[in-house]
Amino acid sequence: MSRYKRLLLTFDAFGTLFTPRETIGKQYAEVARKHGLSGFTNDQIESSFRAAFKSEAGRFPNYGKTVGMSPSQWWSNIINATFRPFNSENSLPERLVPDLLTHFSSAAGYTLYPDVLPFFKSLRQIKVASHGDFVWSKPIIGVITNSDDRVPSILSSLGLQVGLWRHGTDFQASFNAEDDINFVMLSYDVGFEKPDSDIFDTTKQMVPGQERLLHIGDDLQNDYYAAKQAGWEGLLLDRNAQNRQENSGPVPRITDLQELTPYIK
């Protein structure tokens, strides 16, 4: 029996559960070359992508949500800006943008960290052993991510069972206790990005009555301190063991998701 009934356990997505299969620059360049573009190195595309991403995020935060832009248009702007310095034509090949959007919506573009599937296998066993049949007595597992709507499809394609429960959807129609991830809270859907406490507050309201709120992520500010500011427990996932001590004191951290099991059993 779990010592903690009514546990809400959430994870960051990018950098915590999955990471690019290759550098973004290499993947962008390889897809572009298939469409006949050339005259650039992988590193040049990487640098151009980073500049384009920074510019677009500065002008139109939260994947364009602030101005009513769709995520696909937001990413299209970045793709066009990335290749503009290397493209003498006025437009890119017709299929390049949709092919890149599709590529980065699945396992084609990303891979899970090695500890993720073993941890979720352990988590399934914990959920089965949890006391009681009432749904809230079992751990509720979610993802809180600064992202658009591609995250659920990425996680699903990587082998995790992801539920349909989202911000604004009906709980009864979309909740399945057997899912590895019961819900995904997207910054684009809710209108707030981490480290804003509102995204954590909205998540808490969506999953009422949980006695323990625990968030895990790889970003010190956006995950650990943001969770603490919102009144949650936080754990820093530091796979490279780089953040052992902070100015404000030691930060609770794990270097592998399997180390999380004692916190939730």
Side-chain angles (χ1 to χ4, degrees):
M1 177 189 303
S2 172
R3 289 181 293 135
Y4 299 100
K5 305 174 184 179
R6 311 174 74 86
L7 166 66
L8 172 58
L9 175 64
T10 62
F11 298 88
D12 174 48
F14 187 88
T16 297
L17 299 179
F18 61 82
T19 190
R21 188 169 293 278
E22 303 276 1
T23 66
I24 300 297
K26 181 178 180 180
Q27 294 188 75
Y28 265 50
E30 288 179 346
V31 173
R33 290 181 186 117
K34 292 178 181 178
H35 287 275
L37 297 183
S38 61
F40 46 75
T41 67
N42 296 348
D43 288 344
Q44 285 175 323
I45 295 299
E46 180 76 25
S47 178
S48 187
F49 167 80
R50 289 179 181 273
F53 185 95
K54 182 177 180 180
S55 174
E56 193 74 2
R59 293 191 303 154
F60 308 118
N62 198 8
Y63 304 86
K65 177 75 171 186
T66 54
V67 294
M69 185 186 299
S70 70
S72 60
Q73 182 58 57
W74 193 86
W75 281 109
S76 295
N77 293 345
I78 290 176
I79 294 168
N80 277 279
T82 296
F83 289 101
R84 190 172 295 123
F86 314 101
N87 182 27
S88 60
E89 303 294 330
N90 292 327
S91 60
L92 295 176
E94 182 179 357
R95 288 298 311 170
L96 179 58
V97 170
D99 283 358
L100 278 170
L101 292 176
T102 299
H103 181 85
F104 285 100
S105 298
S106 72
Y110 298 100
T111 185
L112 290 176
Y113 288 100
D115 56 340
V116 173
L117 287 180
F119 168 74
F120 274 92
K121 181 178 179 180
S122 299
L123 191 55
R124 292 178 199 128
Q125 296 171 348
I126 292 172
K127 292 173 76 171
V128 168
S130 296
H131 179 68
D133 295 328
F134 183 54
V135 63
W136 302 119
S137 69
K138 299 181 181 295
I140 304 298
I141 313 302
V143 166
I144 302 178
T145 176
N146 290 350
S147 191
D148 57 46
D149 58 1
R150 290 184 295 173
V151 167
S153 67
I154 292 168
L155 291 169
S156 294
S157 72
L158 290 169
L160 292 171
Q161 188 169 325
V162 182
L164 300 176
W165 193 14
R166 304 284 182 270
H167 177 251
T169 63
D170 179 70
F171 162 73
Q172 294 292 343
S174 54
F175 183 85
N176 179 358
E178 304 306 315
D179 289 329
D180 293 315
I181 297 171
N182 301 119
F183 70 90
V184 179
M185 179 67 77
L186 302 165
S187 65
Y188 188 86
D189 286 348
V190 73
F192 304 104
E193 290 185 289
K194 296 179 296 182
D196 194 320
S197 293
D198 283 337
I199 194 168
F200 289 94
D201 294 342
T202 302
T203 303
K204 181 179 178 180
Q205 293 167 9
M206 194 172 88
V207 192
Q210 299 305 91
E211 298 170 345
R212 189 179 182 213
L213 312 173
L214 175 59
H215 179 72
I216 293 91
D218 69 305
D219 189 288
L220 189 62
Q221 298 299 328
N222 285 349
D223 292 308
Y224 176 73
Y225 284 128
K228 296 290 287 184
Q229 181 66 29
W232 293 43
E233 294 178 63
L235 278 176
L236 180 68
L237 178 58
D238 185 15
R239 288 191 173 88
N240 296 320
Q242 294 177 341
N243 293 298
R244 292 180 180 275
Q245 195 84 12
E246 299 302 318
N247 292 335
S248 59
V251 172
R253 68 178 184 88
I254 54 176
T255 58
D256 186 296
L257 285 180
Q258 292 286 60
E259 297 173 33
L260 179 58
T261 303
Y263 285 88
I264 61 178
K265 289 187 72 173

